[in-house]
Each structure stands twice: as structure tokens, then as C-alpha cells.
Amino acid sequence: MAEPLWRPRGRARCSTRTLRVRSSAAVMAVIVLAVLVVPPLVQLDQQAVDLAAKLQPPSWAHPFGTDDVGRDLLLRCVYGLRVSLLVGLVAAVVATVIGTAVGAAAGALGGWTDRVAMRVVDTLSAIPHLLLGIFIVAVFRPGVWPVVASVAVTHWLSTARIVRAEVLSLRGRPYVDAAVSGGASRWRIAVRHLVPGILPQAGLAAVLMIPHAMWHESALSFLGLGLPAHQASLGSLVQSARGSLLAGDWWPTLFPGLLLIVPTLAIAGLAGAWRERQNPRRRSELTL
């Protein structure tokens, strides 16, 4: 008997999805390995100025070229990516914890707790993230932790909404009704039934928040409000290369920009696979 016509197409889609996941994982592995290994192994000062080598195009000696004062762009991009990943990871974890706590409390307790929490979320959502982040960073001296606080405080709102919706969905499940009928306390129901159900969604929200936090930090650094001037950041590298781009030197702008785009695409590929794994119905539809 001949195979149904949709089987080869489903296998092709499955192979494409597997290739996407493996490519994304390989890219992220290379990025993490580079930011962890390159700075300790390469005994070079990223701030070392060599005016005789300024604005050299990419070559074997300088794969990413040099900037307007002769500093090696590859090394500075690695340091900038290291800072951006640190800010993105820490800010995503903090924002996810805050959003999960607020959303779980609003969905589980209901009543005035739900109304107050959602009004706070709606109010903060009406303020542009970048504007609120600029205000928070302006209160402190430039540094990594003020930027982390700025990103975390402005990015927990979507997680709170997602977690609250998930909790409301779980509250209507038969096993939760059975636990309520059995006399289980509200605390026990939350710990045993609601929290385990929202952890996958919270984890996915944290992963998707990492590139968003990286772009937010880069935007603040591009505006000169993020990290100190002596500390490399992908946003500050792009900002300092604007004059070189107008003069026709493309590499000081291209490579920091690529190091923002590539991790974003890789994390999006991994997050998409995670989402499909959490939703078997969607996964089965994709393989038809």
C-alpha cells in the first residue's frame, strides 16, 4: 500500500524543524563559548589604542577590523556581547520572578488582589518601556546593575499577564475542583497544582525575554545612558561607529549589529521548539 501523500511533507517539515533547532543550539553554544573563553585566553587589552592601525578593514590580523582609534573590534565585540548576555539573562530572570509572583497571586487569589494587580500592570504598560527605563537609569550612576534593574522593572508586565491567564485556566481543571472538594487549602492547591502548571510558560517567557532585554540595554547604551564610556557594549559600539559609517567604513557598525541579531534569531529558534514541545496538538498539526 502506498504511503499517504502527507507523510513525506510531514517528514520534511520535521527535518526542517530539527535542523532549525540544531542550528540555533550550535550558534548559542558558539556564542556562550566565545564570551566565556576568549577574554581569559586572549591576553590583549580591549582598550589598547593604536592610531597607526585605525579603521583597518577586516583581515587575518583583525577579523572584524579596527575602530577609529585602532582597537580590535573582534575583542571589543566579544566583551560587548558578554555584557549584553549578562544583562539580558539576569534581567530576564528577575523580571520573570516578579511577573510570575504577581500573575500567580492575581490569578489564584482573585478579588481585589486581581483587580489591583491588573490595574498596576495596565498603568505601567501605558508608559513606553524605553522612557521608563531612561528615568530609572538616570537616577543612578552608569553601570551594569542600574541597567539590569531598569530592564527588569519594565519587562515583567507581559509575564504577569501570561501567568495570570494560565492560572485562571488551571483553576477550571477537574483535578483542581477535586482538590477543592476534598478540602485542600488554597495554599496547598497553589503549591501542588497551580505553580507546577505555570512553570513551563514562565520559563518560556524568560527565554524570550533575553533578546528583548539585550536590545533594551543596547538602546540605553546607544543613547549614552547605559554602561560607562570605558566599558564595551554592543549599543555603545554602534553609537561610536556612526561617524565611520558616514565616511564609508562599514565594519565598525556591521559586526556589533550582527552580534545583536544572531543571538536573537538563535534564541527565537530554541524558544519556538520549546513552545511546540509544550503544545502537542500544535506539534501534531505541523507534522501533517
Side-chain angles (χ1 to χ4, degrees):
M1 182 182 295
E3 282 189 338
L5 294 177
W6 61 82
R7 291 298 182 186
R9 185 175 60 183
R11 290 173 184 171
R13 290 183 179 178
C14 184
S15 300
T16 303
R17 186 168 63 252
T18 302
L19 179 61
R20 184 180 71 244
V21 172
R22 290 179 178 178
S23 301
S24 300
V27 169
M28 286 307 303
V30 170
I31 290 174
V32 172
L33 188 64
V35 298
L36 292 178
V37 173
V38 170
L41 288 183
V42 180
Q43 301 299 321
L44 295 175
D45 184 8
Q46 60 157 329
Q47 299 291 344
V49 174
D50 184 7
L51 295 178
K54 68 176 184 179
L55 290 177
Q56 289 186 357
S59 61
W60 287 110
H62 303 285
F64 283 10
T66 60
D67 62 6
D68 55 350
V69 292
R71 294 174 294 192
D72 184 74
L73 270 178
L74 175 59
L75 190 59
R76 287 182 60 77
C77 284
V78 170
Y79 274 94
L81 182 59
R82 189 181 190 181
V83 171
S84 295
L85 284 176
L86 172 65
V87 172
L89 182 60
V90 176
V93 171
V94 174
T96 301
V97 171
I98 297 173
T100 301
V102 174
L109 299 179
W112 66 268
T113 304
D114 186 18
R115 291 193 292 271
V116 171
M118 289 301 100
R119 295 297 79 75
V120 171
V121 170
D122 293 340
T123 302
L124 293 178
S125 298
I127 305 174
H129 287 177
L130 187 58
L131 181 62
L132 184 58
I134 291 173
F135 174 78
I136 295 173
V137 171
V139 176
F140 304 95
R141 297 178 63 182
V144 173
W145 299 115
V147 175
V148 169
S150 167
V151 176
V153 168
T154 57
H155 285 72
W156 61 270
L157 307 173
S158 59
T159 303
R161 285 199 179 98
I162 293 172
V163 170
R164 174 182 176 271
E166 190 68 18
V167 170
L168 292 177
S169 174
L170 293 174
R171 284 175 55 183
R173 301 291 175 86
Y175 59 84
V176 176
D177 293 336
V180 173
S181 302
S185 64
R186 183 173 294 182
W187 173 256
R188 182 178 178 84
I189 292 174
V191 173
R192 294 291 301 273
H193 301 294
L194 298 182
V195 172
I198 65 177
L199 288 181
Q201 290 293 336
L204 180 59
V207 172
L208 289 173
M209 201 179 301
I210 293 175
H212 195 179
M214 292 174 59
W215 283 89
H216 194 102
E217 178 274 326
S218 297
L220 290 174
S221 298
F222 181 84
L223 295 174
L225 300 171
L227 303 180
H230 68 274
Q231 193 167 6
S233 168
L234 295 179
S236 60
L237 290 177
V238 174
Q239 193 276 340
S240 62
R242 290 184 301 168
S244 302
L245 182 62
L246 294 176
D249 301 320
W250 49 268
W251 55 91
T253 305
L254 175 65
F255 292 112
L258 286 178
L259 288 183
L260 273 174
I261 296 173
V262 171
T264 300
L265 296 178
I267 293 174
L270 294 176
W274 189 354
R275 185 186 296 111
E276 292 174 11
R277 186 177 182 85
Q278 288 183 14
N279 193 339
R281 178 178 299 178
R282 174 173 176 156
R283 188 169 67 249
S284 63
E285 291 173 354
L286 289 174
T287 57
L288 289 179

